[in-house]
Amino acid sequence: VPELPEVEATRRRVEPAVKNRRILAVEVLRASALAGQKPGEFAKLVTGRTIRAVRRRGKNFLLDLSGDVTVRIHFRMTGGMLVECRPKITPRVRVIFELSGGDTLLFVDSRALGQLYAAPTAAIDAQLDKALGPEPLSRAFRLEPFVEAARGSRLPAKLYLMDQKRVAGLGNIYAAEALWQARIDPRRPMREVPARKRAELYSAIRTVLRDAVKSARLAYKRPGPFQEGEYARAVYAREGEPCPRCGRPVRRIEQGGRSTFFCPHCQK
Ligand SMILES: [Zn+2]
């Protein structure tokens, strides 16, 4: 599942290939991929515009087009972007953007849960700012506000980190890894986590995400959009395996309908 690091790695891979290219034509192969927009409406909004930049906000992939229009794409479980000169139209291809210069940008999504739509850039930015907290790898994510805000929450630490309004872009994998690094029990209500550990969590979020962006970039240098990053996970999906810190078995529990992996011995 693409989280911040995978979307960021996709952004860095795609941007150089599509920047300053014009969208000559758009074909929507699966109308349900469009969130609240008809294929004709979407095509009309984006065709003829030039891709000025490729941005990311949280787990959202954004194509900024000329004339202040942006395409917002959410990958959900299996979405991704490919740039190909002779595209193979496989069943997972949802939207085809034909670009000037001969390349094609594809929105691919095998499970078809991802969504996209186009709107004025200012409207999309306003929606994103309303829905999302600070970008954890940017200067907007600051130690003191994070430590202070967390003090007031009774949410279990893991669910707190999954809340996109608290920190943008963290998902199931990297929330678990950051909590392991900061030695915090994912079940512990945030307000019971001592300030020192909340500060450690702040640093852990940044370290884990930075490392994961690097790993995802390496993984994405191989062809294809969906490779998992090569991030060396300490706990995620490692139930029963030894904790890399203390050697005791990693445990799996359910929180908010999702699996949480942690080390009950060294996460308190
Ligand atoms: Zn341990």
Side-chain angles (χ1 to χ4, degrees):
V1 177
E3 297 182 25
L4 182 155
E6 291 75 24
V7 182
E8 178 61 23
T10 303
R11 185 192 77 73
R12 295 195 203 172
R13 176 169 52 83
V14 166
E15 187 174 47
V18 304
K19 198 173 172 176
N20 298 322
R21 302 290 190 93
R22 226 173 122 229
I23 299 172
L24 303 176
V26 180
E27 199 180 337
V28 178
L29 300 181
R30 192 182 175 117
S32 64
L34 290 172
Q37 214 157 37
K38 295 210 168 82
E41 203 183 330
F42 178 75
K44 205 176 152 194
L45 255 171
V46 306
T47 305
R49 295 185 196 269
T50 300
I51 300 172
R52 294 289 186 218
V54 182
R55 284 188 295 145
R56 178 194 57 75
R57 180 79 169 90
K59 302 176 199 171
N60 294 270
F61 182 92
L62 305 168
L63 292 172
D64 281 343
L65 310 182
S66 54
D68 298 316
V69 165
T70 292
V71 179
R72 176 182 176 184
I73 306 172
H74 200 296
F75 295 157
R76 302 281 172 218
M77 299 293 283
T78 54
M81 307 302 289
L82 287 177
V83 182
E84 288 179 1
C85 55
R86 279 190 211 92
K88 261 203 222 127
I89 308 305
T90 58
R92 65 179 187 170
V93 175
R94 305 298 170 202
V95 181
I96 305 169
F97 299 87
E98 254 179 63
L99 305 180
S100 60
D103 279 337
T104 305
L105 176 65
L106 304 173
F107 172 51
V108 293
D109 187 7
S110 51
R111 288 183 60 180
L113 298 166
Q115 296 248 282
L116 78 166
Y117 66 95
T121 303
I124 285 189
D125 283 343
Q127 284 160 2
L128 290 169
D129 285 341
K130 205 175 152 201
L132 302 176
E135 280 298 321
L137 294 180
S138 79
R139 281 161 185 247
F141 186 55
R142 291 168 45 232
L143 173 67
E144 279 183 13
F146 175 80
V147 167
E148 193 49 36
R151 191 169 73 120
S153 174
R154 51 182 87 194
L155 275 180
K158 164 82 180 319
L159 299 182
Y160 186 87
L161 292 189
M162 299 280 285
D163 180 352
Q164 299 299 296
K165 282 193 180 179
R166 307 292 186 169
V167 186
L170 274 179
N172 217 27
I173 300 171
Y174 300 111
E177 294 296 324
L179 287 168
W180 178 81
Q181 207 170 93
R183 301 174 189 238
I184 296 170
D185 187 320
R187 299 166 294 186
R188 194 165 182 187
M190 211 55 189
R191 64 181 182 183
E192 290 173 17
V193 175
R196 177 183 51 81
K197 278 206 175 187
R198 277 180 268 131
E200 278 168 23
L201 180 57
Y202 169 87
S203 306
I205 290 168
R206 292 172 67 102
T207 309
V208 163
L209 289 175
R210 263 199 218 106
D211 289 350
V213 169
K214 273 188 215 151
S215 307
R217 291 198 72 190
L218 285 176
Y220 286 178
K221 281 184 180 157
R222 298 190 301 258
F226 300 132
Q227 281 125 354
E228 304 262 326
E230 289 163 346
Y231 183 79
R233 296 166 183 177
V235 285
Y236 186 81
R238 296 192 63 231
E239 185 182 14
E241 292 176 43
C243 163
R245 194 161 43 211
C246 73
R248 313 223 179 160
V250 169
R251 210 179 133 193
R252 187 187 74 87
I253 55 167
E254 280 211 6
Q255 283 184 299
R258 314 272 309 267
S259 288
T260 295
F261 298 88
F262 72 112
C263 172
H265 181 69
C266 57
Q267 289 178 250
K268 300 291 181 195

